Amino acid sequence: MNASVLLEVATDSPLGARAAEAAGASRIELCAGLCTGGLTPSLGTIERTLAATRLPVMVLLRPRAGDFLYD
């Protein structure tokens, strides 16, 4: 069996995305507010990160800190 490992690295900046790519990451999870568990990044951060790396960028959609229960 030929199994491959997908390495997704969470980062909050284009610089972090470039470092993850250089270290062998497979894709990026782009967040803001990592110290709160991650929030949706700004459009500017998304655009700069897409320009900074060739890796696929998965954007975290989370409007606020706390749990994932929304009304």
Side-chain angles (χ1 to χ4, degrees):
M1 181 165 129
N2 184 9
S4 62
V5 175
L6 178 70
L7 177 61
E8 181 177 89
V9 175
T11 186
D12 61 357
S13 69
L15 182 61
R18 285 193 300 267
E21 183 175 7
S26 306
R27 67 183 184 193
I28 301 298
E29 179 184 88
L30 186 61
C31 311
L34 286 171
C35 61
T36 64
L39 300 171
T40 302
S42 70
L43 179 58
T45 299
I46 296 168
E47 291 171 339
R48 289 189 302 275
T49 301
L50 288 171
T53 183
R54 295 175 311 210
L55 296 177
V57 176
M58 308 298 147
V59 177
L60 180 72
L61 299 179
R62 186 175 183 211
R64 61 168 176 79
D67 59 33
F68 285 91
L69 302 175
Y70 303 106
D71 290 337

Short mmCIF file of all heavy atoms in Angstrom, two decimals:
data_model
loop_
_atom_site.label_atom_id
_atom_site.label_comp_id
_atom_site.label_asym_id
_atom_site.label_seq_id
_atom_site.Cartn_x
_atom_site.Cartn_y
_atom_site.Cartn_z
N MET A 1 0.84 -1.18 0.00
CA MET A 1 0.00 0.00 0.00
C MET A 1 0.88 1.24 0.00
O MET A 1 1.81 1.35 0.79
CB MET A 1 -0.89 -0.02 1.25
CG MET A 1 -1.82 1.15 1.32
SD MET A 1 -3.08 0.81 2.54
CE MET A 1 -3.00 2.26 3.50
N ASN A 2 0.59 2.19 -0.86
CA ASN A 2 1.37 3.42 -0.96
C ASN A 2 0.58 4.55 -0.30
O ASN A 2 -0.26 5.18 -0.92
CB ASN A 2 1.64 3.74 -2.43
CG ASN A 2 2.53 4.95 -2.58
OD1 ASN A 2 3.09 5.45 -1.62
ND2 ASN A 2 2.66 5.42 -3.80
N ALA A 3 0.86 4.78 0.97
CA ALA A 3 0.15 5.83 1.72
C ALA A 3 1.02 7.08 1.78
O ALA A 3 2.22 7.01 1.99
CB ALA A 3 -0.17 5.35 3.12
N SER A 4 0.38 8.22 1.58
CA SER A 4 1.11 9.47 1.73
C SER A 4 0.48 10.27 2.86
O SER A 4 -0.68 10.12 3.19
CB SER A 4 1.09 10.27 0.43
OG SER A 4 -0.24 10.60 0.09
N VAL A 5 1.28 11.12 3.44
CA VAL A 5 0.84 11.94 4.56
C VAL A 5 0.60 13.36 4.07
O VAL A 5 1.45 13.94 3.39
CB VAL A 5 1.89 11.94 5.69
CG1 VAL A 5 1.49 12.88 6.81
CG2 VAL A 5 2.08 10.53 6.22
N LEU A 6 -0.54 13.91 4.41
CA LEU A 6 -0.87 15.30 4.09
C LEU A 6 -0.59 16.12 5.34
O LEU A 6 -1.15 15.86 6.40
CB LEU A 6 -2.33 15.42 3.70
CG LEU A 6 -2.83 16.81 3.38
CD1 LEU A 6 -2.22 17.30 2.07
CD2 LEU A 6 -4.34 16.81 3.26
N LEU A 7 0.30 17.10 5.21
CA LEU A 7 0.66 17.95 6.34
C LEU A 7 0.07 19.33 6.15
O LEU A 7 0.47 20.07 5.26
CB LEU A 7 2.19 18.04 6.49
CG LEU A 7 2.70 18.96 7.60
CD1 LEU A 7 2.22 18.48 8.96
CD2 LEU A 7 4.21 19.04 7.54
N GLU A 8 -0.93 19.66 6.98
CA GLU A 8 -1.55 20.98 6.95
C GLU A 8 -1.01 21.79 8.12
O GLU A 8 -1.04 21.33 9.25
CB GLU A 8 -3.07 20.85 7.06
CG GLU A 8 -3.78 22.18 7.02
CD GLU A 8 -5.29 22.03 7.07
OE1 GLU A 8 -5.84 21.99 8.18
OE2 GLU A 8 -5.90 21.95 5.98
N VAL A 9 -0.53 22.98 7.83
CA VAL A 9 0.06 23.83 8.85
C VAL A 9 -0.84 25.05 9.06
O VAL A 9 -1.18 25.74 8.09
CB VAL A 9 1.49 24.27 8.46
CG1 VAL A 9 2.04 25.26 9.47
CG2 VAL A 9 2.39 23.06 8.34
N ALA A 10 -1.21 25.31 10.31
CA ALA A 10 -2.00 26.49 10.64
C ALA A 10 -1.06 27.68 10.82
O ALA A 10 -0.07 27.59 11.54
CB ALA A 10 -2.80 26.26 11.91
N THR A 11 -1.39 28.77 10.16
CA THR A 11 -0.60 29.99 10.27
C THR A 11 -1.53 31.19 10.16
O THR A 11 -2.66 31.07 9.72
CB THR A 11 0.51 30.05 9.21
OG1 THR A 11 1.32 31.19 9.45
CG2 THR A 11 -0.06 30.11 7.82
N ASP A 12 -0.99 32.34 10.55
CA ASP A 12 -1.80 33.56 10.51
C ASP A 12 -1.18 34.66 9.65
O ASP A 12 -1.57 35.81 9.74
CB ASP A 12 -2.05 34.09 11.92
CG ASP A 12 -0.76 34.46 12.65
OD1 ASP A 12 0.33 34.25 12.08
OD2 ASP A 12 -0.84 34.95 13.78
N SER A 13 -0.22 34.26 8.79
CA SER A 13 0.46 35.29 8.00
C SER A 13 1.09 34.72 6.73
O SER A 13 1.35 33.52 6.65
CB SER A 13 1.58 35.93 8.84
OG SER A 13 2.63 34.98 9.03
N PRO A 14 1.35 35.58 5.75
CA PRO A 14 2.08 35.14 4.56
C PRO A 14 3.47 34.61 4.90
O PRO A 14 3.92 33.64 4.30
CB PRO A 14 2.17 36.41 3.71
CG PRO A 14 1.05 37.27 4.18
CD PRO A 14 0.90 36.97 5.64
N LEU A 15 4.13 35.25 5.86
CA LEU A 15 5.46 34.78 6.26
C LEU A 15 5.39 33.36 6.80
O LEU A 15 6.22 32.51 6.47
CB LEU A 15 6.04 35.73 7.32
CG LEU A 15 7.43 35.40 7.82
CD1 LEU A 15 8.45 35.44 6.69
CD2 LEU A 15 7.84 36.36 8.93
N GLY A 16 4.39 33.08 7.62
CA GLY A 16 4.22 31.72 8.14
C GLY A 16 3.92 30.73 7.03
O GLY A 16 4.38 29.58 7.07
N ALA A 17 3.15 31.15 6.04
CA ALA A 17 2.84 30.27 4.92
C ALA A 17 4.10 29.94 4.12
O ALA A 17 4.31 28.78 3.72
CB ALA A 17 1.79 30.91 4.01
N ARG A 18 4.95 30.94 3.89
CA ARG A 18 6.22 30.69 3.17
C ARG A 18 7.11 29.74 3.97
O ARG A 18 7.74 28.84 3.40
CB ARG A 18 6.93 32.00 2.88
CG ARG A 18 6.29 32.79 1.75
CD ARG A 18 7.19 33.91 1.26
NE ARG A 18 7.50 34.88 2.31
CZ ARG A 18 6.83 35.99 2.54
NH1 ARG A 18 5.79 36.29 1.81
NH2 ARG A 18 7.20 36.81 3.51
N ALA A 19 7.17 29.93 5.28
CA ALA A 19 7.99 29.05 6.12
C ALA A 19 7.44 27.62 6.10
O ALA A 19 8.22 26.66 6.02
CB ALA A 19 8.03 29.59 7.55
N ALA A 20 6.13 27.47 6.14
CA ALA A 20 5.52 26.14 6.10
C ALA A 20 5.80 25.45 4.77
O ALA A 20 6.11 24.26 4.73
CB ALA A 20 4.02 26.25 6.35
N GLU A 21 5.70 26.21 3.69
CA GLU A 21 6.00 25.65 2.37
C GLU A 21 7.45 25.19 2.29
O GLU A 21 7.74 24.09 1.82
CB GLU A 21 5.71 26.68 1.28
CG GLU A 21 5.91 26.15 -0.12
CD GLU A 21 5.50 27.14 -1.20
OE1 GLU A 21 5.17 28.30 -0.89
OE2 GLU A 21 5.51 26.73 -2.37
N ALA A 22 8.37 26.01 2.78
CA ALA A 22 9.79 25.66 2.76
C ALA A 22 10.09 24.43 3.61
O ALA A 22 11.02 23.68 3.32
CB ALA A 22 10.63 26.84 3.24
N ALA A 23 9.28 24.22 4.65
CA ALA A 23 9.49 23.08 5.55
C ALA A 23 8.80 21.81 5.07
O ALA A 23 8.91 20.77 5.71
CB ALA A 23 9.00 23.44 6.95
N GLY A 24 8.07 21.90 3.94
CA GLY A 24 7.48 20.69 3.36
C GLY A 24 5.99 20.50 3.61
O GLY A 24 5.47 19.40 3.39
N ALA A 25 5.29 21.53 4.03
CA ALA A 25 3.84 21.41 4.24
C ALA A 25 3.14 21.10 2.93
O ALA A 25 3.61 21.45 1.85
CB ALA A 25 3.29 22.70 4.83
N SER A 26 1.99 20.45 3.03
CA SER A 26 1.17 20.12 1.87
C SER A 26 0.14 21.20 1.58
O SER A 26 -0.24 21.40 0.43
CB SER A 26 0.42 18.80 2.10
OG SER A 26 1.31 17.77 2.45
N ARG A 27 -0.35 21.84 2.65
CA ARG A 27 -1.31 22.93 2.49
C ARG A 27 -1.31 23.79 3.74
O ARG A 27 -0.77 23.41 4.77
CB ARG A 27 -2.71 22.42 2.17
CG ARG A 27 -3.38 21.65 3.28
CD ARG A 27 -4.72 21.13 2.82
NE ARG A 27 -5.40 20.46 3.91
CZ ARG A 27 -6.46 19.69 3.75
NH1 ARG A 27 -6.95 19.50 2.54
NH2 ARG A 27 -7.03 19.13 4.78
N ILE A 28 -1.97 24.95 3.63
CA ILE A 28 -2.01 25.93 4.70
C ILE A 28 -3.43 26.05 5.23
O ILE A 28 -4.38 26.09 4.45
CB ILE A 28 -1.56 27.32 4.18
CG1 ILE A 28 -0.14 27.26 3.61
CG2 ILE A 28 -1.69 28.40 5.25
CD1 ILE A 28 0.91 26.87 4.59
N GLU A 29 -3.58 26.12 6.54
CA GLU A 29 -4.84 26.55 7.15
C GLU A 29 -4.60 27.97 7.62
O GLU A 29 -3.82 28.20 8.54
CB GLU A 29 -5.25 25.67 8.32
CG GLU A 29 -6.56 26.15 8.95
CD GLU A 29 -6.96 25.39 10.18
OE1 GLU A 29 -6.53 25.79 11.28
OE2 GLU A 29 -7.69 24.40 10.05
N LEU A 30 -5.25 28.94 7.00
CA LEU A 30 -5.03 30.34 7.31
C LEU A 30 -6.06 30.81 8.34
O LEU A 30 -7.27 30.65 8.13
CB LEU A 30 -5.12 31.19 6.05
CG LEU A 30 -4.78 32.66 6.21
CD1 LEU A 30 -3.34 32.85 6.70
CD2 LEU A 30 -5.01 33.40 4.91
N CYS A 31 -5.56 31.38 9.42
CA CYS A 31 -6.40 31.83 10.53
C CYS A 31 -5.94 33.22 10.96
O CYS A 31 -4.89 33.68 10.60
CB CYS A 31 -6.23 30.92 11.75
SG CYS A 31 -6.38 29.17 11.44
N ALA A 32 -6.74 33.82 11.80
CA ALA A 32 -6.34 34.99 12.58
C ALA A 32 -6.58 34.61 14.03
O ALA A 32 -7.30 33.64 14.31
CB ALA A 32 -7.17 36.20 12.20
N GLY A 33 -5.98 35.30 14.95
CA GLY A 33 -6.24 35.05 16.37
C GLY A 33 -5.97 33.62 16.80
O GLY A 33 -6.80 33.01 17.47
N LEU A 34 -4.81 33.10 16.44
CA LEU A 34 -4.50 31.71 16.81
C LEU A 34 -4.53 31.49 18.32
O LEU A 34 -4.86 30.40 18.77
CB LEU A 34 -3.14 31.30 16.24
CG LEU A 34 -3.12 31.05 14.73
CD1 LEU A 34 -1.70 30.88 14.24
CD2 LEU A 34 -3.96 29.84 14.39
N CYS A 35 -4.22 32.52 19.09
CA CYS A 35 -4.21 32.36 20.56
C CYS A 35 -5.61 32.16 21.12
O CYS A 35 -5.78 31.69 22.25
CB CYS A 35 -3.53 33.55 21.23
SG CYS A 35 -4.35 35.12 20.92
N THR A 36 -6.65 32.47 20.35
CA THR A 36 -8.03 32.24 20.78
C THR A 36 -8.63 31.00 20.15
O THR A 36 -9.84 30.78 20.24
CB THR A 36 -8.93 33.45 20.44
OG1 THR A 36 -8.99 33.58 19.02
CG2 THR A 36 -8.43 34.72 21.06
N GLY A 37 -7.82 30.22 19.46
CA GLY A 37 -8.30 29.02 18.80
C GLY A 37 -8.55 29.21 17.32
O GLY A 37 -8.92 28.28 16.63
N GLY A 38 -8.35 30.42 16.82
CA GLY A 38 -8.48 30.70 15.40
C GLY A 38 -9.76 31.42 15.05
O GLY A 38 -10.83 31.07 15.54
N LEU A 39 -9.62 32.45 14.23
CA LEU A 39 -10.74 33.23 13.72
C LEU A 39 -10.57 33.42 12.22
O LEU A 39 -9.49 33.18 11.68
CB LEU A 39 -10.79 34.60 14.40
CG LEU A 39 -10.95 34.60 15.91
CD1 LEU A 39 -10.75 36.01 16.46
CD2 LEU A 39 -12.29 34.05 16.31
N THR A 40 -11.59 33.87 11.54
CA THR A 40 -11.51 34.14 10.12
C THR A 40 -10.54 35.30 9.88
O THR A 40 -10.69 36.36 10.48
CB THR A 40 -12.90 34.50 9.55
OG1 THR A 40 -13.78 33.42 9.83
CG2 THR A 40 -12.83 34.74 8.05
N PRO A 41 -9.55 35.12 9.00
CA PRO A 41 -8.61 36.21 8.71
C PRO A 41 -9.26 37.27 7.81
O PRO A 41 -10.27 37.03 7.16
CB PRO A 41 -7.46 35.50 7.99
CG PRO A 41 -8.09 34.31 7.36
CD PRO A 41 -9.21 33.89 8.28
N SER A 42 -8.62 38.43 7.75
CA SER A 42 -9.11 39.51 6.90
C SER A 42 -8.88 39.17 5.42
O SER A 42 -8.03 38.33 5.07
CB SER A 42 -8.38 40.81 7.22
OG SER A 42 -7.03 40.73 6.78
N LEU A 43 -9.63 39.83 4.56
CA LEU A 43 -9.46 39.64 3.12
C LEU A 43 -8.04 39.98 2.69
O LEU A 43 -7.45 39.28 1.87
CB LEU A 43 -10.47 40.48 2.35
CG LEU A 43 -10.41 40.39 0.82
CD1 LEU A 43 -10.59 38.95 0.35
CD2 LEU A 43 -11.45 41.29 0.19
N GLY A 44 -7.46 41.03 3.25
CA GLY A 44 -6.09 41.41 2.91
C GLY A 44 -5.09 40.31 3.26
O GLY A 44 -4.18 40.02 2.49
N THR A 45 -5.26 39.69 4.43
CA THR A 45 -4.37 38.59 4.83
C THR A 45 -4.53 37.41 3.89
O THR A 45 -3.55 36.77 3.50
CB THR A 45 -4.64 38.17 6.28
OG1 THR A 45 -4.40 39.28 7.14
CG2 THR A 45 -3.76 37.01 6.70
N ILE A 46 -5.75 37.13 3.50
CA ILE A 46 -5.99 36.03 2.56
C ILE A 46 -5.30 36.31 1.23
O ILE A 46 -4.58 35.46 0.70
CB ILE A 46 -7.51 35.81 2.35
CG1 ILE A 46 -8.18 35.36 3.65
CG2 ILE A 46 -7.75 34.79 1.23
CD1 ILE A 46 -9.69 35.42 3.61
N GLU A 47 -5.48 37.51 0.69
CA GLU A 47 -4.88 37.86 -0.60
C GLU A 47 -3.36 37.83 -0.55
O GLU A 47 -2.72 37.29 -1.47
CB GLU A 47 -5.36 39.24 -1.03
CG GLU A 47 -6.82 39.28 -1.41
CD GLU A 47 -7.37 40.67 -1.64
OE1 GLU A 47 -6.78 41.66 -1.16
OE2 GLU A 47 -8.41 40.76 -2.32
N ARG A 48 -2.77 38.37 0.53
CA ARG A 48 -1.30 38.36 0.65
C ARG A 48 -0.76 36.94 0.80
O ARG A 48 0.30 36.61 0.26
CB ARG A 48 -0.86 39.24 1.81
CG ARG A 48 -1.05 40.73 1.53
CD ARG A 48 -0.43 41.61 2.59
NE ARG A 48 -0.95 41.35 3.92
CZ ARG A 48 -2.06 41.89 4.43
NH1 ARG A 48 -2.78 42.73 3.71
NH2 ARG A 48 -2.44 41.60 5.66
N THR A 49 -1.48 36.10 1.50
CA THR A 49 -1.03 34.72 1.70
C THR A 49 -1.13 33.94 0.39
O THR A 49 -0.21 33.18 0.05
CB THR A 49 -1.84 34.03 2.81
OG1 THR A 49 -1.68 34.79 4.02
CG2 THR A 49 -1.38 32.60 3.03
N LEU A 50 -2.21 34.12 -0.35
CA LEU A 50 -2.33 33.45 -1.66
C LEU A 50 -1.20 33.85 -2.59
O LEU A 50 -0.70 33.03 -3.36
CB LEU A 50 -3.68 33.77 -2.28
CG LEU A 50 -4.90 33.10 -1.62
CD1 LEU A 50 -6.18 33.69 -2.20
CD2 LEU A 50 -4.85 31.60 -1.80
N ALA A 51 -0.78 35.11 -2.51
CA ALA A 51 0.32 35.59 -3.36
C ALA A 51 1.68 35.09 -2.88
O ALA A 51 2.62 35.04 -3.67
CB ALA A 51 0.31 37.12 -3.39
N ALA A 52 1.78 34.69 -1.62
CA ALA A 52 3.07 34.33 -1.03
C ALA A 52 3.42 32.85 -1.18
O ALA A 52 4.56 32.48 -0.97
CB ALA A 52 3.07 34.69 0.45
N THR A 53 2.45 32.01 -1.51
CA THR A 53 2.71 30.57 -1.55
C THR A 53 2.01 29.92 -2.74
O THR A 53 1.01 30.43 -3.23
CB THR A 53 2.25 29.89 -0.24
OG1 THR A 53 2.58 28.50 -0.28
CG2 THR A 53 0.77 30.05 0.00
N ARG A 54 2.55 28.80 -3.17
CA ARG A 54 1.91 28.00 -4.22
C ARG A 54 1.02 26.92 -3.62
O ARG A 54 0.32 26.23 -4.35
CB ARG A 54 2.97 27.35 -5.09
CG ARG A 54 3.81 28.35 -5.87
CD ARG A 54 4.89 27.62 -6.60
NE ARG A 54 5.55 26.73 -5.64
CZ ARG A 54 6.81 26.36 -5.67
NH1 ARG A 54 7.57 26.77 -6.62
NH2 ARG A 54 7.32 25.57 -4.74
N LEU A 55 1.09 26.75 -2.31
CA LEU A 55 0.30 25.71 -1.66
C LEU A 55 -1.19 26.07 -1.65
O LEU A 55 -1.55 27.24 -1.65
CB LEU A 55 0.76 25.53 -0.20
CG LEU A 55 2.18 25.04 0.01
CD1 LEU A 55 2.50 24.99 1.49
CD2 LEU A 55 2.37 23.67 -0.62
N PRO A 56 -2.06 25.05 -1.58
CA PRO A 56 -3.47 25.33 -1.37
C PRO A 56 -3.66 26.00 0.00
O PRO A 56 -3.00 25.63 0.97
CB PRO A 56 -4.13 23.95 -1.38
CG PRO A 56 -3.13 23.03 -1.99
CD PRO A 56 -1.78 23.63 -1.74
N VAL A 57 -4.54 26.98 0.05
CA VAL A 57 -4.81 27.70 1.30
C VAL A 57 -6.26 27.46 1.70
O VAL A 57 -7.18 27.81 0.96
CB VAL A 57 -4.54 29.21 1.14
CG1 VAL A 57 -4.89 29.96 2.41
CG2 VAL A 57 -3.07 29.44 0.77
N MET A 58 -6.45 26.84 2.86
CA MET A 58 -7.77 26.61 3.43
C MET A 58 -8.00 27.72 4.46
O MET A 58 -7.21 27.88 5.39
CB MET A 58 -7.84 25.25 4.14
CG MET A 58 -7.39 24.08 3.30
SD MET A 58 -8.43 23.90 1.85
CE MET A 58 -7.26 23.29 0.69
N VAL A 59 -9.06 28.50 4.29
CA VAL A 59 -9.33 29.63 5.17
C VAL A 59 -10.31 29.19 6.25
O VAL A 59 -11.39 28.67 5.95
CB VAL A 59 -9.90 30.82 4.38
CG1 VAL A 59 -10.25 31.97 5.30
CG2 VAL A 59 -8.91 31.27 3.31
N LEU A 60 -9.93 29.41 7.50
CA LEU A 60 -10.80 29.08 8.63
C LEU A 60 -11.96 30.07 8.67
O LEU A 60 -11.75 31.28 8.62
CB LEU A 60 -10.02 29.14 9.94
CG LEU A 60 -10.83 28.82 11.18
CD1 LEU A 60 -11.16 27.34 11.24
CD2 LEU A 60 -10.09 29.23 12.43
N LEU A 61 -13.17 29.57 8.76
CA LEU A 61 -14.36 30.41 8.90
C LEU A 61 -14.88 30.26 10.32
O LEU A 61 -15.52 29.27 10.66
CB LEU A 61 -15.43 30.01 7.88
CG LEU A 61 -15.04 30.15 6.42
CD1 LEU A 61 -16.17 29.68 5.52
CD2 LEU A 61 -14.64 31.57 6.09
N ARG A 62 -14.57 31.25 11.13
CA ARG A 62 -15.00 31.25 12.52
C ARG A 62 -15.11 32.71 12.94
O ARG A 62 -14.11 33.40 13.13
CB ARG A 62 -14.00 30.50 13.39
CG ARG A 62 -14.44 30.35 14.82
CD ARG A 62 -13.45 29.50 15.56
NE ARG A 62 -13.86 29.26 16.92
CZ ARG A 62 -13.04 29.10 17.93
NH1 ARG A 62 -11.74 29.15 17.74
NH2 ARG A 62 -13.50 28.89 19.14
N PRO A 63 -16.32 33.23 13.14
CA PRO A 63 -16.51 34.65 13.36
C PRO A 63 -16.17 35.16 14.76
O PRO A 63 -16.03 36.35 14.95
CB PRO A 63 -17.99 34.86 13.06
CG PRO A 63 -18.61 33.55 13.37
CD PRO A 63 -17.58 32.53 13.00
N ARG A 64 -16.03 34.26 15.72
CA ARG A 64 -15.78 34.70 17.09
C ARG A 64 -15.08 33.60 17.87
O ARG A 64 -15.13 32.43 17.51
CB ARG A 64 -17.07 35.07 17.79
CG ARG A 64 -18.03 33.89 17.91
CD ARG A 64 -19.17 34.17 18.85
NE ARG A 64 -20.12 33.07 18.89
CZ ARG A 64 -19.95 31.95 19.58
NH1 ARG A 64 -18.86 31.73 20.27
NH2 ARG A 64 -20.89 31.01 19.56
N ALA A 65 -14.42 34.01 18.94
CA ALA A 65 -13.78 33.04 19.82
C ALA A 65 -14.86 32.31 20.61
O ALA A 65 -16.00 32.73 20.67
CB ALA A 65 -12.82 33.75 20.77
N GLY A 66 -14.48 31.19 21.20
CA GLY A 66 -15.43 30.41 22.00
C GLY A 66 -15.75 29.10 21.31
O GLY A 66 -14.98 28.61 20.50
N ASP A 67 -16.90 28.56 21.61
CA ASP A 67 -17.28 27.27 21.05
C ASP A 67 -17.77 27.43 19.60
O ASP A 67 -17.77 28.52 19.05
CB ASP A 67 -18.35 26.60 21.91
CG ASP A 67 -19.60 27.45 22.05
OD1 ASP A 67 -19.94 28.17 21.10
OD2 ASP A 67 -20.24 27.37 23.11
N PHE A 68 -18.14 26.33 19.01
CA PHE A 68 -18.62 26.34 17.64
C PHE A 68 -20.14 26.22 17.56
O PHE A 68 -20.69 25.78 16.56
CB PHE A 68 -17.95 25.22 16.85
CG PHE A 68 -16.52 25.51 16.49
CD1 PHE A 68 -15.49 25.12 17.34
CD2 PHE A 68 -16.21 26.19 15.33
CE1 PHE A 68 -14.18 25.40 17.01
CE2 PHE A 68 -14.89 26.47 15.00
CZ PHE A 68 -13.88 26.07 15.84
N LEU A 69 -20.83 26.58 18.62
CA LEU A 69 -22.29 26.53 18.64
C LEU A 69 -22.82 27.92 18.32
O LEU A 69 -22.55 28.87 19.02
CB LEU A 69 -22.79 26.08 20.03
CG LEU A 69 -22.29 24.72 20.49
CD1 LEU A 69 -22.74 24.44 21.91
CD2 LEU A 69 -22.73 23.62 19.54
N TYR A 70 -23.58 28.02 17.23
CA TYR A 70 -24.12 29.30 16.79
C TYR A 70 -25.63 29.20 16.69
O TYR A 70 -26.18 28.18 16.30
CB TYR A 70 -23.54 29.69 15.43
CG TYR A 70 -22.03 29.76 15.44
CD1 TYR A 70 -21.26 28.77 14.84
CD2 TYR A 70 -21.38 30.81 16.06
CE1 TYR A 70 -19.88 28.84 14.85
CE2 TYR A 70 -19.99 30.88 16.08
CZ TYR A 70 -19.25 29.90 15.48
OH TYR A 70 -17.89 29.95 15.49
N ASP A 71 -26.32 30.26 17.02
CA ASP A 71 -27.78 30.32 16.87
C ASP A 71 -28.14 30.94 15.54
O ASP A 71 -27.46 31.73 15.00
CB ASP A 71 -28.40 31.16 18.00
CG ASP A 71 -28.29 30.45 19.33
OD1 ASP A 71 -28.16 29.21 19.36
OD2 ASP A 71 -28.35 31.15 20.35
#
